[in-house]
């Protein structure tokens, strides 16, 4: 049985720096107007009083192959930042369950 790898994205800690987009574009020479991973912004909007909702969510696209060439050479995907983790989907699912919210898994 082959282990299926994926990308855990903890968007509670994403700061919207776009480094995942830039790293992916550089790694794969993706042209302007296309992305392997695209940062989206939800908010800001006022929930109540002084409480606001404002999230940045990195969304892998159909062009994302989880840097299969890099991974084959023992490297990690280029997009990985402080709010992302690469590994077996089963392990990432356990971490996701512990986290509880504002986290997602991408598994192509």
């Amino acid at each position: 049985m082959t282990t299926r790898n994926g990308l855990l994205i903890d968007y509670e800690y994403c700061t919207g720096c776009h480094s995942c987009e830039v790293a992916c574009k550089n790694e794969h020479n993706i042209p302007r107007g296309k992305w392997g991973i695209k940062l989206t912004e939800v908010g800001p909007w006022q929930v109540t009083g002084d409480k606001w909702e404002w999230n940045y969510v990195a969304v892998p696209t159909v062009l994302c192959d989880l840097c299969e060439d890099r991974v084959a050479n023992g490297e990690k995907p280029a997009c990985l930042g402080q709010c992302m983790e690469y590994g077996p989907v089963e392990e990432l699912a356990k971490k996701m369950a512990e986290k509880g919210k504002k986290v997602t898994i991408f598994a192509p």
Side-chain angles (χ1 to χ4, degrees):
M1 183 173 159
T2 304
T3 301
R4 185 172 180 201
N5 289 319
L7 187 65
L8 180 134
I9 303 169
D10 185 346
Y11 64 95
E12 181 175 1
Y13 296 103
C14 180
T15 63
C17 71
H18 296 269
S19 63
C20 57
E21 285 182 352
V22 173
C24 181
K25 282 179 156 291
N26 288 340
E27 180 68 26
H28 295 292
N29 199 27
I30 296 174
R32 187 177 189 177
K34 295 184 181 181
W35 294 267
I37 189 165
K38 176 71 174 135
L39 189 71
T40 61
E41 185 175 356
V42 179
W45 57 278
Q46 192 170 15
V47 178
T48 58
D50 63 349
K51 185 175 181 181
W52 290 78
E53 183 81 14
W54 195 354
N55 295 299
Y56 296 100
V57 183
V59 180
T61 73
V62 70
L63 297 178
C64 178
D65 64 0
L66 291 176
C67 289
E68 61 186 24
D69 291 340
R70 287 176 61 94
V71 170
N73 289 325
E75 299 177 79
K76 293 184 179 183
C79 66
L80 291 186
Q82 294 298 317
C83 66
M84 293 183 194
E85 190 172 334
Y86 171 80
V89 171
E90 295 79 18
E91 290 178 24
L92 297 177
K94 290 176 188 174
K95 291 180 181 187
M96 183 176 173
E98 291 170 7
K99 175 71 178 155
K101 63 179 187 173
K102 294 195 176 190
V103 64
T104 188
I105 294 176
F106 171 70

